[in-house]
């Protein structure tokens, strides 16, 4: 997140230092662990791929070939890694046969790591890959009927679960510029706007919600698109809370990234469709 925030504000030296640290931590499999000197979990590989690709786009003369080598290896790892299917059950409401990405190897696919992996695939030129299309299908399947998303379940033992802001917003960002727009996404955007209006979102939830709301208004003219005034109350509350806790670079970098609004590297993506590519899907998924 330091690399992405630095890229948004054109702080090249900081972004390069972060990206090179991630390269140094990349394992022979292409994965990058949560702890840079550990062997797993590997869901953070998606974030590393995002950082490398965005640095390459911002400073191509400084990034080649080490950035492209790193994110290609990371994407290869992600394409060979996935969550476990579980047997369908009347006690579970979501489609348990869709394969996305898990938090930990050998477990079921969950919403947040799948959203991050889909973002990485889209940014790194694999938006037409069958794994990307299935990831989008999984995210939509995990949305709750009245808007929002839980961490990956929808209905358990006959009870519809409550939505949570962070996974709901991450889902919307991963589906940024989906064409054609699905009616099923509208209730989640309403839910996120209502949660923003409370002015009480924690820093990470607020950062992803800001991205989601900017995404929802993407096609508006620049003069009518959301600006920081829309988020002022919520930002003031989140920053006040952060000042009362030990320093947390992750949260601060996410807020920095979010306050770049439409300039956020996370949102710099081409339109996305879930229609299968014609012909050989592997040919359709080559890097740009």
């Amino acid at each position: 997140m330091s690399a992405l925030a630095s890229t948004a504000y054109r702080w090249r030296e900081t972004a390069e230092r972060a990206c090179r640290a991630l390269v140094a931590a990349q394992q022979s499999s292409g994965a990058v662990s949560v702890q840079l000197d550990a062997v797993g979990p590997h869901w953070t590989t998606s974030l590393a791929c995002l950082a490398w690709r965005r640095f390459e786009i911002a400073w191509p003369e400084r990034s080649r070939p080490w950035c492209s080598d790193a994110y290609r290896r990371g994407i290869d790892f992600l394409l060979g890694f996935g969550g476990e299917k579980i047997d369908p059950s009347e006690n579970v409401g979501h489609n348990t046969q869709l394969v996305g990405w898990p938090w930990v190897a050998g477990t079921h696919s969950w919403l947040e790591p799948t959203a991050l992996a889909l973002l990485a695939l889209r940014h790194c030129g694999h938006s037409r890959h069958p794994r990307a299309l299935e990831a989008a299908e999984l995210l939509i399947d995990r949305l709750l009927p009245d808007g929002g998303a839980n961490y990956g379940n929808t209905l358990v033992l006959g009870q519809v679960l409550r939505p949570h802001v962070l996974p709901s917003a991450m889902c919307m960002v991963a589906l940024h510029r989906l064409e054609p727009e699905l009616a099923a996404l509208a209730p989640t955007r309403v839910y996120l706007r209502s949660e923003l209006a409370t002015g009480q979102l924690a820093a990470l939830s607020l950062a992803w919600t800001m991205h989601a709301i900017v995404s929802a208004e993407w096609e508006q003219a620049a003069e009518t698109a959301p600006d920081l005034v829309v988020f002022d109350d919520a930002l003031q509350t989140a920053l006040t809370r952060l000042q009362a806790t030990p320093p947390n670079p992750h949260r601060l970098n996410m807020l920095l990234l979010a306050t770049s609004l439409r300039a956020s590297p996370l949102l710099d993506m081409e339109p996305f469709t879930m229609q299968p590519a014609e012909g050989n899907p592997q040919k359709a998924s080559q890097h740009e």
Side-chain angles (χ1 to χ4, degrees):
M1 290 306 179
S2 173
L4 289 169
S6 300
T7 298
Y9 290 93
R10 307 295 295 181
W11 300 331
R12 183 189 59 77
E13 291 185 2
T14 304
E16 183 169 353
R17 187 163 60 249
C19 285
R20 288 190 180 275
L22 293 171
V23 170
Q26 191 173 29
Q27 299 168 13
S28 59
S29 65
V32 176
S33 296
V34 172
Q35 302 286 343
L36 294 184
D37 56 354
V39 296
H42 297 130
W43 59 267
T44 33
T45 304
S46 300
L47 293 173
C49 290
L50 281 168
W52 292 321
R53 176 59 177 148
R54 297 314 308 178
F55 185 85
E56 179 184 57
I57 290 172
W59 295 285
E61 72 286 354
R62 294 286 302 184
S63 64
R64 292 173 179 154
W66 59 275
C67 269
S68 59
D69 290 345
Y71 72 70
R72 287 174 190 273
R73 292 177 58 221
I75 292 296
D76 285 344
F77 169 81
L78 289 173
L79 292 176
F81 179 62
E84 299 292 327
K85 298 179 181 180
I86 59 177
D87 292 336
S89 169
E90 62 182 12
N91 295 322
V92 178
H94 66 268
N95 183 345
T96 61
Q97 300 300 293
L98 293 173
V99 176
W101 282 264
W103 290 115
V104 179
T107 62
H108 195 45
S109 304
W110 296 105
L111 191 148
E112 292 170 62
T114 298
L116 293 176
L118 177 56
L119 280 170
L121 291 177
R122 292 185 63 189
H123 278 274
C124 294
H126 283 264
S127 62
R128 305 303 301 146
H129 194 281
R131 289 294 305 278
L133 302 181
E134 188 170 10
E137 186 180 355
L138 184 149
L139 296 181
I140 293 168
D141 177 73
R142 304 289 181 95
L143 294 176
L144 298 169
D146 295 326
N150 197 275
Y151 292 99
N153 289 314
T154 54
L155 182 117
V156 176
L157 298 175
Q159 297 295 315
V160 177
L161 301 184
R162 295 180 61 183
H164 293 272
V165 173
L166 181 59
S168 302
M170 291 176 71
C171 181
M172 292 296 96
V173 177
L175 296 172
H176 175 51
R177 304 192 73 189
L178 179 65
E179 294 181 350
E181 183 172 326
L182 297 180
L185 302 182
T188 298
R189 295 194 177 101
V190 172
Y191 162 72
L192 289 172
R193 289 190 179 98
S194 68
E195 290 296 311
L196 176 68
T198 69
Q200 299 297 315
L201 297 182
L204 285 180
S205 295
L206 174 60
W208 282 98
T209 297
M210 290 173 67
H211 278 92
I213 289 174
V214 171
S215 170
E217 310 296 338
W218 195 257
E219 301 306 327
Q220 288 188 8
E223 59 271 16
T224 60
D227 57 24
L228 282 178
V229 174
V230 174
F231 307 110
D232 186 63
D233 289 345
L235 279 169
Q236 294 278 2
T237 299
L239 289 171
T240 299
R241 287 178 174 174
L242 285 178
Q243 290 171 351
T245 62
N248 189 305
H250 181 197
R251 295 171 185 169
L252 289 171
N253 278 308
M254 275 302 302
L255 284 178
L256 269 174
L257 188 62
T259 52
S260 66
L261 300 176
R262 291 175 68 92
S264 171
L266 281 182
L267 297 177
D268 183 19
M269 292 183 284
E270 295 298 318
F272 177 59
T273 178
M274 292 173 61
Q275 297 297 322
E278 295 181 3
N280 188 329
Q282 296 302 320
K283 290 182 178 179
S285 67
Q286 294 299 305
H287 289 280
E288 296 172 345

